[in-house]
């Protein structure tokens, strides 16, 4: 009898890294039900809650990001934490004895996969963005396989290691069977009206929020209805600023639990341009206006947005221009049926389905 597969999955920091990691784990479990999977994350980051909630064990490392510019004195402590994390990661790997280690980007995967490389454990990395992150670029030379979501990634990685797989997305989005009408009614809105969904990620996006707050008169006077996820970080401030306003066509919430229903209800989405979100829009064929965050490493969200907008698969609005023009543009777009149809058709062409399964098979193959 062959021994059960043992896999380390490392990375996190944002939902964009964590959702794909959990999807890959679920796909491995579906193919090898007796597989043992252990996650390695960064202490204090989102993965330390999200991974156990998905039913997997996780160990935390005291790793964190470097401050810019790199010569800041505080980076001495960051470097010490990195060395400590790499030592801890080696200890975890020696105890767990994995057949293979998977990195999805984020601080923790730098230490965990670095440790795996030094112990001779085969590694696979998954890059979600169209512009590769620093951690994955540094790990690429020693990785056996590199799974990517965009074409043209040879400029970052050795071509012979690259597999175009797409990004794994939250399974419940693809399994939503609710109709548009049911979804809109469940949100207390009117099924006969065009609906715009505004999302800024789980924490929210200040620019998207300001774009609404500065044009509440436009919202009130339009024949369109809005579902607005403000993000938990901005929720209290927005509640305060909306006091005394009666806007029946604006549904405000700090967090949406069932994104599958929210996407189904929306005729048009306004969103940041994180890799996971974009993969979701491609798979469900959702017309979208992308407002990339300027506060991310190597401005990768702008590059993600351009990868779609240059193919007429999304509309791109610069963060700095959004407060002035975003809301009117969205109202005009959602009433243009031909435009919505072409955006939907073009974004669907970019979808790479079954990503988690393809990656899981590569992981199992590597372990052998």
């Amino acid at each position: 009898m062959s021994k059960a597969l043992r896999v380390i999955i490392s990375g996190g920091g944002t939902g964009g890294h964590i959702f794909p990691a959990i999807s890959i784990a679920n796909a491995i479990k579906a193919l090898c039900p007796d597989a043992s999977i252990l996650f390695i994350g960064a202490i204090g980051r989102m993965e330390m809650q999200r991974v156990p909630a998905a039913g997997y064990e996780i160990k935390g490392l005291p790793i964190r990001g470097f401050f810019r510019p790199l010569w800041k004195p505080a980076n001495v402590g960051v470097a010490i934490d990195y060395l400590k994390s790499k030592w801890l990661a080696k200890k975890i790997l020696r105890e767990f004895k994995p057949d293979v280690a998977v990195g999805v980007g984020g601080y923790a995967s730098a230490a965990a996969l670095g440790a795996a490389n030094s112990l001779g454990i085969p590694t696979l990395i998954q890059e979600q963005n169209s512009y590769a992150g620093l951690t994955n670029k540094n790990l690429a030379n020693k990785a056996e396989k590199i799974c990517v979501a965009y074409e043209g990634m040879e400029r970052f990685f050795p071509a012979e290691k690259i597999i175009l797989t797409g990004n794994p997305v939250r399974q419940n989005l693809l399994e939503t069977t609710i109709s548009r009408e049911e979804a809109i009614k469940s949100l207390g809105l009117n099924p006969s009206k065009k609906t715009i969904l505004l999302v800024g990620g789980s924490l929210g996006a200040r620019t998207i929020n300001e774009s609404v707050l500065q044009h509440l008169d436009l919202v009130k006077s339009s024949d369109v209805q809005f579902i607005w996820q403000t993000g938990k970080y901005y929720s209290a401030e927005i509640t305060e600023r909306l006091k005394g306003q009666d806007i029946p066509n604006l549904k405000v919430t700090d967090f949406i639990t069932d994104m599958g229903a929210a996407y189904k209800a929306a005729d048009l989405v306004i969103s940041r341009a994180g890799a996971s979100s974009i993969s979701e829009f491609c798979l469900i064929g959702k017309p979208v206006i992308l407002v990339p965050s300027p506060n991310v490493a190597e401005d990768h969200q702008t590059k993600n947005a351009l990868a779609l907008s240059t193919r007429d698969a999304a509309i791109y609005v610069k963060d700095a221009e959004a407060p002035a023009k975003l809301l009117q543009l969205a109202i005009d777009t959602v009433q243009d049926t031909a435009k919505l149809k072409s955006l939907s058709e073009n974004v669907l062409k970019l979808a790479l389905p079954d990503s988690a399964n393809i990656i899981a098979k590569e992981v199992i193959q590597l372990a052998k």
Side-chain angles (χ1 to χ4, degrees), residues 198 211 216 254 297 300:
L198 301 109
S211 302
L216 291 172
D254 65 337
H300 68 248

Side-chain angles (χ1 to χ4, degrees), residues 29-158:
K29 274 290 201 187
L31 293 166
C32 298
D34 59 349
S36 295
I37 299 174
L38 176 66
F39 280 75
I40 297 178
I43 291 167
R45 304 293 290 200
M46 200 192 282
E47 58 267 27
M48 301 308 292
Q49 278 80 45
R50 292 285 172 90
V51 170
Y56 295 99
E57 188 189 346
I58 186 165
K59 305 261 187 197
L61 304 176
I63 196 162
R64 52 205 170 105
F66 283 98
F67 297 97
R68 313 268 172 191
L70 288 175
W71 43 258
K72 278 193 173 179
N75 281 327
V76 175
V78 178
I80 291 167
D81 281 346
Y82 173 75
L83 294 172
K84 198 191 293 179
S85 294
K86 199 163 172 186
W87 178 83
L88 270 172
K90 271 190 184 173
K91 188 169 175 283
I92 293 165
L93 294 178
R94 285 196 180 108
E95 286 168 8
F96 185 73
K97 298 185 175 64
D99 302 298
V100 58
V102 179
V104 295
Y107 308 136
S109 66
L113 267 75
N117 288 330
S118 62
L119 294 172
I121 296 159
T123 61
L124 174 148
I125 57 178
Q126 197 254 331
E127 175 55 60
Q128 292 109 26
N129 292 293
S130 61
Y131 192 91
L134 197 57
T135 299
N136 279 347
K137 281 194 277 195
N138 291 339
L139 293 169
N141 279 336
K142 292 193 174 164
E144 264 74 19
K145 299 277 182 194
I146 302 166
C147 298
V148 301
Y150 292 89
E151 286 169 352
M153 298 301 282
E154 300 79 19
R155 62 193 203 279
F156 305 111
F157 302 130

Side-chain angles (χ1 to χ4, degrees), residues 7 43 52 54 57 77 91 102 108 124 165-166 183 192 205 216 226 235 258 292 322 333 365 367:
V7 183
I43 291 167
E57 188 189 346
K91 188 169 175 283
V102 179
L124 174 148
T165 59
S192 65
L216 291 172
F226 298 82
S235 177
D258 188 351
T333 305
Q365 196 58 44

Side-chain angles (χ1 to χ4, degrees), residues 283-296:
L283 284 164
I284 59 177
K286 193 54 65 176
V288 62
I289 298 178
L290 295 169
V291 185
S293 168
N295 313 312
V296 291

Side-chain angles (χ1 to χ4, degrees), residues 219-246:
V219 173
K220 277 184 201 168
S221 63
S222 78
D223 193 33
V224 174
Q225 55 197 359
F226 298 82
I227 306 162
W228 178 18
Q229 180 189 285
T230 61
K232 295 190 169 169
Y233 188 78
Y234 300 105
S235 177
E237 178 199 341
I238 287 169
T239 304
E240 190 57 39
R241 286 173 70 176
L242 289 175
K243 260 193 185 147
Q245 299 264 13
D246 179 32

